[in-house]
Amino acid sequence: MSQTLALPQDLHNHEISKGARVTTAWIACLGEPLALVAAADLDAPEPAMHAGGAEANVAAGTAALGTPTAFLGRVGGDAEGRRIVEHLRAHGVATEALEVDATAFTGRYAKTEGVNEAGEPVTTSTYRRAGSAAAAMEPGFLARPAVAAALAGARIVHTSGITAALSPGCAALTRTLLRDRTGVSGTVTFDVNWREQLWPDGDPSLVIELARSADVVLVGADEAERVLGTGSPAAVRALLPEPRTVVVKDGALRAVAIDRAGAEIAVPALAVDVVEPVGAGDSFAAGFLHGLARGEDLRTCLRRGHAGAAATLTVRADFATLPAASLTALLTCDDAAWAAAHVGPAAVRVDGAHLPPPVESRTP
Ligand SMILES: O=C(O)C(=O)C[C@H](O)[C@H](O)CO
């Protein structure tokens, strides 16, 4: 099952196993794709669904932006697994290293929108993923020919704290990947993605260990507060001294990238009409990694991150993209125009121009 992607000139194809011709991806994302279903359908046979799952959202995002991307993980041999494979391929993601386990099921999740005690909107996720196809991953997964080839060829290997939480095997897998770097030649990026429900003992020590082993860490200020006891970018950086870059995202306020010497680059968040927030962090990661893979400066990477997050904030699905004209206007405007820009479900406004709105991702 090989796939042809439109590639920039400097990429090459290579043989990986049994003559299969596979494209070298710049970004390899490892994790569990999930079927996003209605809460009432968590146990239903073949429910209506969108595709979700943090690292799969990132992969769809970077591929949609034009970066050759591979997804590494597992789904079940069910309708949800088939649709997730189709969804990722439709966005241009290479799926040779996405294993289909006919004996297992694909993880599912549902979002419930509500309000917290302060009257603020909150979205709660409910999972049906314990014992899923992806939860069976363990360090040996990294040695599968298609997986090893993707890891060896990628400029960036990305995963998150969600994958570490799936099972003891997945915890060992992420440890092996981040600490031992087995078969990895590129930059390893790690999104903390703290999900309280997935850590019954509430102990963040593995996630902290993994973050300290990464080259680039992405973390929300709120989750940094939970995991590290502080959301202050400088304090987070002091607690994560090893990575080359730590990015602290402070919701609607700003994102700050900090290098080892403590130098900070901050970019304010865009003004957005928020419809539903889940998946916005993944779209931020996709934009940021897309820029990083191209060697862009950190300020541009942060702008790309905010633009991706803004698009997804305007939809109920896990993932949306900005039309090229809107993205280009956001990336090229000056700081004053950026500060005055606005992203809503019906239009993107930059520098007085009304540009096309975000496009919600559809699952085939
Ligand atoms: O919460 C998870 O584990 C998911 O992967 C579901 C969503 O897709 C994810 O939270 C979005 O970031």
Side-chain angles (χ1 to χ4, degrees), residues 32-34 36 51-55 57 109 111 125 127 129 160 162-163 166 193 195 197-198 277-282 318:
E32 173 171 45
L34 292 175
L36 167 57
E55 295 90 343
N57 293 337
Y109 96 106
K111 309 189 209 193
S125 297
Y127 300 115
R129 70 195 311 184
S160 88
I162 292 172
T163 301
L166 297 179
N193 269 347
R195 298 289 183 272
Q197 308 97 297
L198 298 180
V278 177
D282 305 331
D318 258 19

Side-chain angles (χ1 to χ4, degrees), residues 99 106 131 138 154 156-157 223 300 313 350 354:
E99 209 166 77
T106 303
E138 38 72 50
I156 292 176
V157 175
E223 58 186 359
T300 305
L313 285 167
V350 189
H354 285 246

